[in-house]
Amino acid sequence: MKTKLFSNYRFLSFYLSRSSANIADSIYSIVLLYFVQSMTESVAYTSFMYSATTSTAIFSFLVGPVVDRYSPSKLVSLSLLVQAGIIFSVPFLIGENQSNLFLILALVFLASCFSLLFYPANSKIIPMLLPSNEGIVKANALISSTDQMINILGYLVGASIIIGMGMKNTFFLASGLLLVSGIIYLQMNRKLTISDTSKKVSTIEPKSYLHDLKEGFGFVNRSTFLKIMLPFYGLINFLMAILIITIPSLAVDAGSPIYYSLIYIAFFIGVLIGSVLTNKLPKSGIVIAFAWIFMGVSLGVFASVQGIWLKMAAVLLIGISTGLINVLQTSLIQIITPNELLGRVMSFLTSLSNASLPLGALIGGILALRFPIEIVLFVSAVLILLSGILLLMIKTVREFVIQGEDEEVLQLESTSTDSMQA
């Protein structure tokens, strides 16, 4: 798989620059929260900074028309270069007092706004570089696997980088990696043919912008498969957020913060395994449905077993399901969506995902105050299991298949009544 993908020079440049940007993001996220916590010694301030870096993602759908109108590689380059400049400025604002903290908070928020362009534009570049169905799936599997390896290394060596280089130099390192990635993306734009790039206009008028938004939502509304899958995608993120908020309490009960990292590492390893498995399994809606069922069973095991090591094993299984679902769903959406609409559809998906996470965490926290955590998790597991069974019963999902390298995607756009037939 890797040999074929890496023989494509354009994809190799894309892969290396994207990986460099994700390494920078991992380093930046770790050092930023560490800096705020060490400077203020306040969990409240740290949560404010975390909110500033994540809350903007809820509005990802707003950048969809921009991604579809302009060159995605140029937009990614703009996103990375602006973030590099902002992150480079942070060390100069670090002092003994907290007077510049709110300025740093504002800058971090601005950087997060520009980061909204990154993932929708990246998703649009992949079908440009690899137009075949098989190539798109393999590329998403490779990228997902690499992302998880970066996450694992981030949790393992992030603190060591800060200790070895110092906090300010770690910011400079992250900024430099983003700068290099941004330049590579800018060079990549010259290698994309005119037919690859989106239509370009000098300005976006309010009426045309709203029309573009409606056009993207209209495509989702007309696609039976997307209408079915997107709500399920939001639901699973909503329910998985409940698992996320319980992990710190497990580490506390286990008596060591090291278990917090170990549980996340087990999850990332599982996602890595699931991403690799997508190359061995059929690329179909049935596999997605069974992965959903397997995730529900795994979460039920997680809620039932005692002992941190057994729970880590269950989290590993949850990660495998997550890797399969993420790669296949992303690939299916990229394949069935026309390239001129892909930015809007993918940004809509991102918004749905990021909106459901904080909502799930909020409701999960409220439920955890009234019921034992094990009960809350078990109910979540049952809902995921039932969702998987429901997906398996939907005809459109069962018969949706990504065919071979030179074949078209089989997409059954039946009526709502037909799609719900067993």
Side-chain angles (χ1 to χ4, degrees):
M1 174 193 72
K2 294 182 180 179
T3 303
K4 278 190 176 182
L5 290 177
F6 290 159
S7 63
N8 183 330
Y9 177 74
R10 297 195 304 172
F11 176 78
L12 178 60
S13 297
F14 166 79
Y15 172 77
L16 293 176
S17 54
R18 188 188 188 282
S19 298
S20 175
N22 277 337
I23 291 171
D25 183 66
S26 179
I27 294 172
Y28 164 63
S29 299
I30 293 171
V31 69
L32 179 66
L33 296 182
Y34 177 81
F35 153 66
V36 175
Q37 185 64 39
S38 62
M39 188 176 183
T40 65
E41 297 183 353
S42 169
V43 175
Y45 277 105
T46 303
S47 67
F48 293 156
M49 191 64 72
Y50 181 76
S51 297
T53 60
T54 58
S55 61
T56 56
I58 297 174
F59 305 100
S60 294
F61 71 95
L62 294 175
V63 305
V66 178
V67 173
D68 283 334
R69 281 174 173 260
Y70 297 99
S71 166
S73 56
K74 282 186 177 180
L75 292 175
V76 174
S77 180
L78 173 66
S79 169
L80 295 176
L81 293 177
V82 171
Q83 290 182 76
I86 292 174
I87 294 172
F88 183 81
S89 68
V90 170
F92 297 101
L93 300 174
I94 296 176
E96 296 297 328
N97 54 56
Q98 300 180 14
S99 59
N100 292 329
L101 188 60
F102 287 102
L103 176 58
I104 294 174
L105 181 65
L107 289 173
V108 167
F109 180 80
L110 180 62
S112 297
C113 289
F114 276 91
S115 72
L116 294 180
L117 295 167
F118 184 79
Y119 287 105
N122 268 277
S123 294
K124 188 164 184 174
I125 290 174
I126 292 175
M128 293 180 178
L129 302 177
L130 301 162
S132 71
N133 298 340
E134 190 72 17
I136 290 173
V137 176
K138 287 183 176 181
N140 281 306
L142 176 62
I143 289 169
S144 178
S145 301
T146 304
D147 286 349
Q148 302 319 311
M149 292 175 65
I150 291 171
N151 287 331
I152 293 169
L153 290 174
Y155 273 86
L156 288 174
V157 304
S160 301
I161 293 175
I162 298 173
I163 294 172
M165 298 186 61
M167 191 159 54
K168 292 185 178 182
N169 287 333
T170 305
F171 276 107
F172 290 143
L173 173 62
S175 176
L177 289 172
L178 289 175
L179 177 64
V180 171
S181 298
I183 293 173
I184 295 176
Y185 272 102
L186 197 59
Q187 293 293 323
M188 187 189 308
N189 182 68
R190 301 175 182 176
K191 298 180 177 67
L192 295 176
T193 64
I194 294 176
S195 62
D196 286 332
T197 56
S198 304
K199 60 181 180 179
K200 300 180 179 65
V201 294
S202 56
T203 58
I204 298 182
E205 297 179 358
K207 288 185 179 179
S208 64
Y209 175 80
L210 292 175
H211 175 268
D212 284 355
L213 278 178
K214 290 173 63 177
E215 193 176 24
F217 295 150
F219 177 80
V220 174
N221 189 51
R222 291 191 302 273
S223 171
T224 303
F225 184 81
L226 288 181
K227 280 198 297 186
I228 292 171
M229 293 307 303
L230 291 183
F232 279 92
Y233 193 88
L235 174 64
I236 203 166
N237 279 282
F238 175 89
L239 296 173
M240 290 305 294
I242 298 176
L243 171 63
I244 292 172
I245 64 172
T246 66
I247 291 177
S249 66
L250 294 175
V252 172
D253 292 341
S256 172
I258 191 65
Y259 289 112
Y260 183 79
S261 293
L262 290 176
I263 289 176
Y264 267 102
I265 290 172
F267 176 76
F268 293 143
I269 292 174
V271 176
L272 173 61
I273 295 171
S275 301
V276 173
L277 283 176
T278 56
N279 295 299
K280 307 296 182 183
L281 297 174
K283 285 71 174 176
S284 65
I286 288 182
V287 173
I288 294 177
F290 275 113
W292 219 289
I293 293 172
F294 186 70
M295 178 182 287
V297 174
S298 301
L299 183 57
V301 172
F302 178 87
S304 304
V305 298
Q306 299 297 321
I308 194 69
W309 298 107
L310 290 176
K311 288 187 178 294
M312 284 175 58
V315 165
L316 178 73
L317 299 178
I318 293 171
I320 292 174
S321 300
T322 302
L324 285 169
I325 292 171
N326 286 347
V327 171
L328 290 179
Q329 283 191 166
T330 300
S331 300
L332 288 169
I333 291 169
Q334 287 173 334
I335 290 170
I336 69 176
T337 307
N339 196 260
E340 63 271 15
L341 293 172
L342 188 54
R344 279 163 280 180
V345 173
M346 293 304 297
S347 59
F348 176 68
L349 174 63
T350 302
S351 291
L352 180 66
S353 172
N354 285 284
S356 59
L357 279 171
L359 183 61
L362 175 64
I363 294 179
I366 294 173
L367 291 174
L369 292 175
R370 296 180 58 87
F371 305 99
I373 291 177
E374 291 78 11
I375 297 298
V376 176
L377 288 174
F378 194 79
V379 171
S380 299
V382 171
L383 290 175
I384 293 175
L385 177 63
L386 292 176
S387 298
I389 294 173
L390 180 59
L391 281 174
L392 199 59
M393 295 173 62
I394 299 174
K395 183 179 180 181
T396 300
V397 176
R398 286 202 313 270
E399 299 186 357
F400 197 98
V401 179
I402 300 178
Q403 301 292 350
E405 188 109 354
D406 300 319
E407 297 175 279
E408 296 294 325
V409 180
L410 171 63
Q411 182 186 10
L412 299 179
E413 289 289 355
S414 52
T415 62
S416 299
T417 303
D418 291 340
S419 68
M420 293 300 295
Q421 291 177 351

